[in-house]
Amino acid sequence: MRPFAYERCATSDDALRSGAKGARFLAGGTNLLDLMKLQIETPEQLADISRIGFDSIDETADGGLRIGALVRNSDCAAHARIRRDYPVLARAILAGASGQLRNRATTGGNLCQRTRCSYFYDIAMSCNKRDPDTGCSAIDGQNRNMAILGTSPSCIATYPGDMAVALHALDAVVETEGTGGTSRRLPVRQFHRLPQDTPQKDNALEPGELITCVVLPPPVPGQQGYRKVRDRASYAFALVSIAYVIDVADGIITRADLAFGGVAHKPWHDPAIAQMLVGQRAEAGLIRAAADALLAGAQSFGDNDFKIPLMRRLVTATLSEATGVRA
Amino acid sequence: MKTRLVINGQDHEVDADTRVTLLDALRNHLNLTGTKKGCDHGQCGACTVLVNGRRINSCLSLVCSHEGDAVTTIEGIGTPDTLAPLQQAFVSHDGYQCGYCTPGQICSALAMMDEAAAGWPSAVTADLADPVTLSDAEIGERMSGNLCRCAAYSNIVDAIREVAHGDVAHGEAA
């Protein structure tokens, strides 16, 4: 690790002051410290925000939940209201990492976790995300884990997390505070970004901007779940995944809030898919058409060709089960 | 930078570079070498300790971020003369080969049993509302953050199952 100055922040004001001076925020540290050991991240100053509060889960006036940015993943997944009303979120968190990591990882930090692209991790290789304008080694390299949707000639890395995929299905809102007393409410679907020609920028946060909470809308009826396909049964990143909130009444789909992991630089949400499904009778042809529409623009790069049919099968199986249709 | 911690019930002050992890502080500054360094990247679980009762990877945590925290390492769980029930169960069931991952396995399993007792679900829990029964599938899933390169997994599960199910006849401290 490169040397850095460390500050224990007592309040969010402390953190924002440090952030304005260029400090990186340290929460659980499970991703940032790993990257610092490999000198992929080389901050000169760390502001430890683990004791500034924002560590509770509270009801909002409309019956939703406000999850503090410093709530640990394990507490979030075990929370009674989240298990009852937002099981897709509990399931997604529990599908990721290990018990030890979930005990440290936080809501805000998890949203900000960086790609696990092997070329991003190898500082001997070119990577536009790590070192802008040096080139992407993955496009013509070993790209089994890479994206199939929304890629650019600059970057084909994926966003690796599970929790955020569920938050996309739930249409959560990220609340932030910025330097100079500004605050923002960002729909999570606008939080992460596609690589375009600036893949070094993972999300919409400005320098020094601090995530304070994630707000869940009031619970909705329907089945919820998270299905993740990976190389081993536990403790592995997704090859592909789906978070779903689906409701069916009298054979008609009344809700189809879907988000997809492992396929893009961000958790993938395509509003056209819900528009195709909602109001229609659940049947196999419709489900196949929705899977085709989701993947119509998919592009693979060799080693990850398998992700396109794998995602098509995952979508078909999940929607069929959730709507009671024989695939 | 100075950091005060309570380790295995004793007050300590560590004066270390900001880059020093909790793992390196335990091993190199406090000579508590029971906690092992495997991958040093949070992937293997050999460095698992309890901080304020919860299991974490001590390699992915700066010691300076633990001001005032209570840390339990394998040295605080039992001694060769007074093994904790879970330690005895690992001996009885041969839950290791080389033994390098064992301190992390034991720290992790102790906290894991507390998590299950508190009703925390896991990825293999069928119903998120149900109380947790530590089936072999549950033990395997909840212990997936602890790798054993000797692959003593079946015996590790046997040891944990014995203690988790309260059958500690072989595991009572001497």
Side-chain angles (χ1 to χ4, degrees):
Chain A
M1 257 188 263
R2 302 270 181 86
F4 56 85
Y6 168 91
E7 181 196 358
R8 283 182 198 125
C9 298
T11 65
S12 59
D13 286 345
D14 290 348
L16 290 168
R17 264 194 300 275
S18 297
K21 288 185 274 183
R24 289 289 302 273
F25 299 129
L26 174 70
T30 52
N31 190 204
L32 180 57
L33 293 178
D34 185 33
L35 294 168
M36 287 170 64
K37 287 182 179 194
L38 297 164
Q39 300 195 8
I40 296 161
E41 297 267 16
T42 54
E44 292 177 2
Q45 194 183 346
L46 286 187
D48 183 348
I49 58 170
S50 59
R51 289 172 165 86
I52 65 168
F54 301 105
D55 54 358
S56 63
I57 299 176
D58 304 296
E59 278 205 31
T60 58
D62 63 3
L65 287 182
R66 175 175 277 105
I67 306 168
L70 277 305
V71 170
R72 306 288 175 179
N73 278 179
S74 48
D75 289 312
C76 190
H79 191 270
R81 277 276 326 263
I82 288 177
R83 285 153 67 178
R84 190 187 73 194
D85 294 334
Y86 307 94
V88 62
L89 178 57
R91 289 287 183 197
I93 292 173
L94 294 170
S98 66
Q100 290 95 317
L101 290 170
R102 292 192 295 269
N103 275 341
R104 290 296 290 173
T106 61
T107 312
N110 191 315
L111 280 175
C112 297
Q113 69 173 309
R114 308 212 66 189
T115 187
R116 263 56 174 196
C117 172
S118 54
Y119 297 104
F120 175 73
Y121 263 78
D122 184 348
I123 60 173
M125 301 299 290
S126 301
C127 171
N128 288 320
K129 182 180 278 298
R130 176 167 31 76
D131 295 312
D133 302 320
T134 57
C136 172
S137 303
I139 290 176
D140 295 316
Q142 295 183 356
N143 47 43
R144 184 169 180 272
N145 293 328
M146 302 301 161
I148 54 172
L149 292 168
T151 57
S152 80
S154 294
C155 182
I156 61 170
T158 56
Y159 174 81
D162 297 298
M163 181 194 82
V165 182
L167 293 177
H168 276 67
L170 291 168
D171 199 12
V173 172
V174 181
E175 293 188 349
T176 72
E177 289 181 12
T179 53
T182 56
S183 60
R184 285 206 283 173
R185 300 187 84 246
L186 266 171
V188 75
R189 293 170 183 172
Q190 295 167 26
F191 180 81
H192 300 94
R193 58 185 296 284
L194 290 177
Q196 300 169 316
D197 57 359
T198 51
Q200 68 273 23
K201 202 167 160 44
D202 291 345
N203 57 52
L205 288 176
E206 298 293 336
E209 188 174 7
L210 177 70
I211 300 173
T212 55
C213 300
V214 171
V215 179
L216 303 181
V220 295
Q223 289 184 58
Q224 298 186 18
Y226 186 72
R227 284 180 74 169
K228 176 175 178 178
V229 182
R230 46 184 162 177
D231 283 328
R232 58 185 182 201
S234 183
Y235 198 18
F237 289 99
L239 296 169
V240 296
S241 71
I242 179 172
Y244 61 90
V245 183
I246 294 173
D247 204 15
V248 181
D250 300 326
I252 306 296
I253 299 171
T254 55
R255 177 178 294 276
D257 298 334
L258 311 175
F260 307 91
V263 288
H265 195 258
K266 54 187 278 187
W268 193 259
H269 171 78
D270 183 348
I273 307 302
Q275 283 169 15
M276 274 183 78
L277 293 167
V278 171
Q280 302 297 313
R281 180 159 298 279
E283 50 94 15
L286 177 72
I287 289 169
R288 277 199 303 275
D292 287 343
L294 172 74
L295 294 161
Q299 180 191 3
S300 59
F301 299 88
D303 295 343
N304 71 343
D305 292 350
F306 74 98
K307 281 195 176 188
I308 296 174
L310 185 62
M311 181 53 104
R312 180 174 283 110
R313 290 185 201 125
L314 179 67
V315 171
T316 306
T318 303
L319 293 183
S320 300
E321 271 181 34
T323 58
V325 168
R326 277 178 71 107
Chain B
M1 179 159 195
K2 287 183 179 169
T3 306
R4 288 165 300 167
L5 311 95
V6 181
I7 300 171
N8 301 329
Q10 289 193 323
D11 292 334
H12 288 272
E13 184 175 274
V14 177
D15 192 359
D17 187 286
T18 54
R19 289 171 287 180
V20 172
T21 61
L22 176 59
L23 171 62
D24 287 340
L26 291 169
R27 290 183 56 84
N28 301 338
H29 292 251
L30 299 163
N31 203 31
L32 290 166
T33 54
T35 306
K36 301 302 188 223
K37 181 183 283 194
C39 68
D40 210 25
H41 287 281
Q43 297 172 0
C44 76
C47 69
T48 303
V49 300
L50 312 186
V51 172
N52 303 327
R54 290 193 175 188
R55 54 178 170 160
I56 72 162
N57 301 111
S58 61
C59 74
L60 280 188
S61 211
L62 299 172
V63 69
C64 57
S65 70
H66 287 286
E67 171 73 17
D69 282 347
V71 180
T72 303
T73 68
I74 191 69
E75 290 90 346
I77 286 167
T79 69
D81 297 326
T82 55
L83 294 177
L86 188 61
Q87 291 175 310
Q88 182 59 55
F90 268 69
V91 173
S92 303
H93 291 279
D94 207 11
Y96 42 76
Q97 185 169 306
C98 81
Y100 197 78
C101 72
T102 312
Q105 298 277 2
I106 288 174
C107 287
S108 185
L110 285 171
M112 179 279 285
M113 288 189 275
D114 286 344
E115 293 166 5
W120 289 14
S122 84
V124 300
T125 307
D127 187 330
L128 292 175
D130 281 350
V132 176
T133 303
L134 282 179
S135 64
D136 287 2
E138 285 278 5
I139 292 171
E141 163 60 26
R142 289 163 190 266
M143 292 297 292
S144 69
N146 290 84
L147 306 187
C148 170
R149 292 297 299 272
C150 308
Y153 293 112
S154 59
N155 293 357
I156 292 170
V157 172
D158 287 347
I160 295 171
R161 185 199 310 111
E162 178 182 277
V163 175
H165 294 187
D167 175 18
V168 292
H170 301 286
E172 293 293 347

